Structures are given as structure tokens and as C-alpha cells.
């Protein structure tokens, strides 16, 4: 039996409380890199394995997260157990047609996911694709960030492609200067970067999605996928640039996870041999379905295309 080709996604899985009508909430599990792993798993065949790398505790909800991931085909063998820690939690509030988040993550086990250098190296071993985000970096202490980036460099040296969503969250960083410096350094180590123009522009001064793409190409990034909400995505390499708009008419129920699902669908399409434009079209299509449902993770059957 052939060994499955391996994808590793690294970050924080949190308890998600969504809904809120009449103060009734639905409990789920989500987090930016987990969301993308979910859509990668949903859209790739069984010749691929998708592993999630994070830290969890020994409590009931940590155990439930492991069971949830296992039950949905996402590997958990490289999740570290951190005694005395628990998963972070967030509540989604819908107000005036937009999302607002309240977080409890100060003692999240995922903050220690890069403390064990050997475990981290083992987790990315023999991966064909390693995916992480700016949030992954933001929750780590400075030395732990260094360990994570060191493991990623080694994985790349061993043949893995590295994909990175800058996923800018200023509240998680000690200062804008540190945030911009770390994100730029991390992006320079990557093959594919998937930023969001409206998040990048206030910090880096990009006047357009094209300027965002150009800035990352100048760092040596091979492929840049600039998301822009309901606007066109700009996908750029040194020799090709395409602009793909989402299909009109998508109904927004909850935009949580839209960008993450776009990333997962885009990367899965590229891994399946699709070109830049076709991959972006598939990504927009998936994100358009996800925003029509509550919570970050939708039933895989809703996004899987018939053969």
C-alpha cells in the first residue's frame, strides 16, 4: 500500500462558540490553520494525509478536540500534551452584519507548541507541504518562534513546500514594528504566501493588491495569493499574474473562516495540479459556500464537487 503524501498544518485550535441568538451558542472547534487543514482534508483524496500540529491539555475539551480531529480524518499524532494548560476559547458576536470576536487564550496550550524542538522537527519530517500563519507566530514567545522557523527551514531544505498566511492580528503582537519584522522574515522563507490586502495596507503602505503581491515577490516568494474580501484576488508569480473575482450573489451568514477556507481550497487545487486561475476560482467557490453557514467549519459534503 502506497504511503500517503503528507501535509502538516501548524497553529492553534480553539473552542468556538457561535450563534448567540437568545444567548444560545453552538460549541465547535476552529482556528485559522485548523480551518485551512479542514478544507484541505475535505478537498484532497486519500492519497494525502493532513496532520495538525498544536498543543493541547489533558482536560475534557482537549480530549474532545483530539477525538473531533481524528473522527474527521485529520492526524493528531503530533499534537503535544501540555500539562496544566487548556485550549483557548472565543465567542463570535454578530452585530450590524459584521463579526466581532472575544477571546480567552492567555493560558492556551498552543502557546507552547514549539517548546520541544525535537518533537517539532519530527512533526514536519517527510512533509510535502507545511502550512502556518501569522497567528501561529504571534502566540509564541520569541525563542519559540525561532524554533518554529528553524524547523520550517529544515523542512524546506528537505523538500517541503512552505505556505504561509500572514493573517495580521495586531492585538496579539507586542508592537507593529515587531509584527512587521517577524512576518516579513517568515514570508521570506516561504514558497507560497497568502496575505489579505486590506490587513496589509495599513501596516506596509500597499496602495493596491498588486503592490502587496510585488512586495512579497521581491522577498523571493515564488507564488503570492492576495485576497481582498469580496474584491478580486491577485495571484502572482515572477512570470504570471491573474485576477479572479468571486462569483456574485453569495449570501453572507457568517464570514468566519472565509479566508482560511479560501487558502485550503486554493492549496488543494494547486496540489491537484490546477493552474493559478483555476485554483483561485475553486477557492472563491469554497469561501462563498462557507460564508453562507455559521461557524468556521462546514460539512465537507457541501464543498466537495462531484467527480
Amino acid at each position: 500500500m502506497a504511503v500517503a503524501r503528507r501535509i502538516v498544518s501548524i497553529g492553534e485550535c480553539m473552542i468556538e462558540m457561535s450563534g448567540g441568538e437568545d444567548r444560545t451558542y453552538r460549541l465547535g472547534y476552529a482556528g485559522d490553520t485548523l480551518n485551512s487543514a479542514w478544507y484541505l482534508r475535505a478537498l484532497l483524496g486519500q492519497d494525502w494525509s493532513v496532520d495538525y500540529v498544536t498543543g493541547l491539555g489533558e482536560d475534557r475539551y482537549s480530549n474532545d478536540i483530539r477525538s473531533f480531529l481524528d473522527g474527521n480524518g485529520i492526524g493528531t499524532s503530533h499534537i503535544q500534551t501540555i500539562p496544566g494548560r487548556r485550549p483557548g476559547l472565543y465567542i463570535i458576536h454578530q452585530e450590524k452584519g459584521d463579526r466581532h470576536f472575544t477571546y480567552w487564550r492567555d493560558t492556551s496550550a498552543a502557546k507552547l507548541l514549539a517548546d520541544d524542538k525535537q518533537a517539532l522537527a519530527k512533526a514536519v519530517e517527510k512533509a510535502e507541504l507545511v502550512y502556518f500563519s501569522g497567528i501561529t507566530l504571534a502566540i509564541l514567545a520569541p525563542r519559540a518562534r525561532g524554533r518554529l522557523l528553524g524547523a520550517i527551514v529544515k523542512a524546506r531544505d528537505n523538500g517541503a513546500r512552505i505556505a504561509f498566511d500572514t493573517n495580521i492580528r495586531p492585538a496579539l503582537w507586542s508592537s507593529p514594528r515587531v509584527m512587521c519584522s517577524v512576518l516579513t522574515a517568515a514570508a521570506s522563507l516561504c514558497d507560497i504566501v497568502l496575505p489579505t490586502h486590506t490587513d496589509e495596507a495599513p501596516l506596509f503602505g500597499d496602495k493596491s493588491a498588486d503592490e502587496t503581491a510585488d512586495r512579497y515577490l521581491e522577498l523571493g516568494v515564488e507564488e503570492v495569493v492576495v485576497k481582498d474580501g469580496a474584491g478580486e484576488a491577485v495571484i502572482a508569480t515572477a512570470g504570471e499574474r491573474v485576477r479572479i473575482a468571486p462569483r456574485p450573489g453569495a449570501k453572507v451568514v457568517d464570514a468566519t473562516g472565509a479566508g482560511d477556507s479560501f487558502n485550503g481550497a486554493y492549496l488543494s487545487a494547486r496540489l491537484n495540479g490546477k493552474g493559478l486561475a483555476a485554483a483561485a476560482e475553486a477557492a472563491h467557490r469554497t469561501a462563498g459556500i462557507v460564508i453562507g453557514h455559521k461557524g468556521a467549519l462546514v460539512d465537507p459534503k457541501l464543498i466537495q464537487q462531484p467527480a
Side-chain angles (χ1 to χ4, degrees), residues 247-263:
R247 295 178 181 177
K251 180 181 178 182
V252 181
V253 173
D254 181 358
T256 307
D260 306 326
S261 65
F262 182 105
N263 293 352

Side-chain angles (χ1 to χ4, degrees), residues 2-10 36-37 40-41 44-54 73-80 118-132 151-152 154-156 158-163 191 267-268 271-272:
V3 176
R5 302 166 71 185
R6 188 162 181 260
I7 296 169
V8 174
S9 184
I10 307 171
S36 296
L40 279 160
R41 176 65 284 160
L44 288 171
Q46 294 307 307
D47 53 332
W48 286 94
S49 68
V50 179
D51 288 346
Y52 196 61
V53 175
T54 190
I74 296 174
T76 60
S77 60
H78 294 285
I79 292 178
Q80 295 183 54
Q118 290 184 334
L120 198 58
K122 187 70 174 176
V124 298
E125 193 174 52
K126 297 181 180 178
E128 286 197 35
L129 178 74
V130 177
Y131 176 75
F132 70 116
I152 284 168
K154 187 173 181 179
R156 191 183 191 192
N158 289 332
R161 288 176 61 76
I162 311 299
D191 301 287
L267 292 170
S268 69
L271 292 169
N272 278 328

Side-chain angles (χ1 to χ4, degrees), residues 9-260:
S9 184
I10 307 171
E12 181 179 26
C13 176
M14 304 181 74
I15 299 167
E16 175 192 78
M17 304 298 291
S18 62
E21 297 84 359
D22 299 321
R23 298 191 177 185
T24 300
Y25 288 86
R26 180 174 68 92
L27 185 149
Y29 302 114
D32 67 331
T33 55
L34 173 62
N35 303 342
S36 296
W38 177 269
Y39 294 105
L40 279 160
R41 176 65 284 160
L43 293 166
L44 288 171
Q46 294 307 307
D47 53 332
W48 286 94
S49 68
V50 179
D51 288 346
Y52 196 61
V53 175
T54 190
L56 290 172
E58 300 171 300
D59 58 289
R60 169 183 174 177
Y61 294 103
S62 292
N63 293 334
D64 284 350
I65 288 171
R66 289 185 182 88
S67 296
F68 172 75
L69 298 179
D70 282 331
N72 285 282
I74 296 174
T76 60
S77 60
H78 294 285
I79 292 178
Q80 295 183 54
T81 299
I82 314 294
R85 293 290 186 115
R86 295 181 178 180
L89 177 147
Y90 69 93
I91 293 179
I92 305 170
H93 310 269
Q94 297 290 337
E95 184 178 333
K96 297 179 181 178
D98 199 5
R99 304 166 295 156
H100 299 271
F101 298 85
T102 301
Y103 291 92
W104 293 264
R105 71 195 322 170
D106 289 348
T107 58
S108 166
K111 289 189 171 188
L112 305 181
L113 69 84
D115 279 19
D116 187 330
K117 185 176 180 179
Q118 290 184 334
L120 198 58
K122 187 70 174 176
V124 298
E125 193 174 52
K126 297 181 180 178
E128 286 197 35
L129 178 74
V130 177
Y131 176 75
F132 70 116
S133 77
I135 292 177
T136 310
L137 295 171
I139 65 172
L140 300 177
R143 288 187 179 180
R145 285 178 202 146
R147 283 190 291 272
L148 175 60
L149 293 177
I152 284 168
V153 168
K154 187 173 181 179
R156 191 183 191 192
D157 288 344
N158 289 332
R161 288 176 61 76
I162 311 299
F164 177 54
D165 183 347
T166 53
N167 218 345
I168 292 172
R169 297 292 185 270
L172 295 177
W173 294 90
S174 59
S175 73
R177 180 187 62 80
V178 170
M179 175 176 62
C180 292
S181 176
V182 172
L183 295 179
T184 299
S188 71
L189 307 175
C190 298
D191 301 287
I192 304 172
V193 175
L194 304 108
T196 298
H197 169 65
T198 50
D199 292 342
E200 305 263 328
L203 292 160
F204 293 100
D206 304 332
K207 294 182 175 59
S208 66
D210 283 289
E211 286 195 9
T212 300
D214 290 339
R215 180 164 48 81
Y216 285 109
L217 290 174
E218 288 169 5
L219 291 175
V221 178
E222 180 180 312
E223 186 171 330
V224 185
V225 185
V226 186
K227 305 180 293 289
D228 199 12
E232 290 181 332
V234 174
I235 304 90
T237 67
E240 184 178 2
R241 185 167 303 218
V242 298
R243 307 170 202 282
I244 304 295
R247 295 178 181 177
K251 180 181 178 182
V252 181
V253 173
D254 181 358
T256 307
D260 306 326

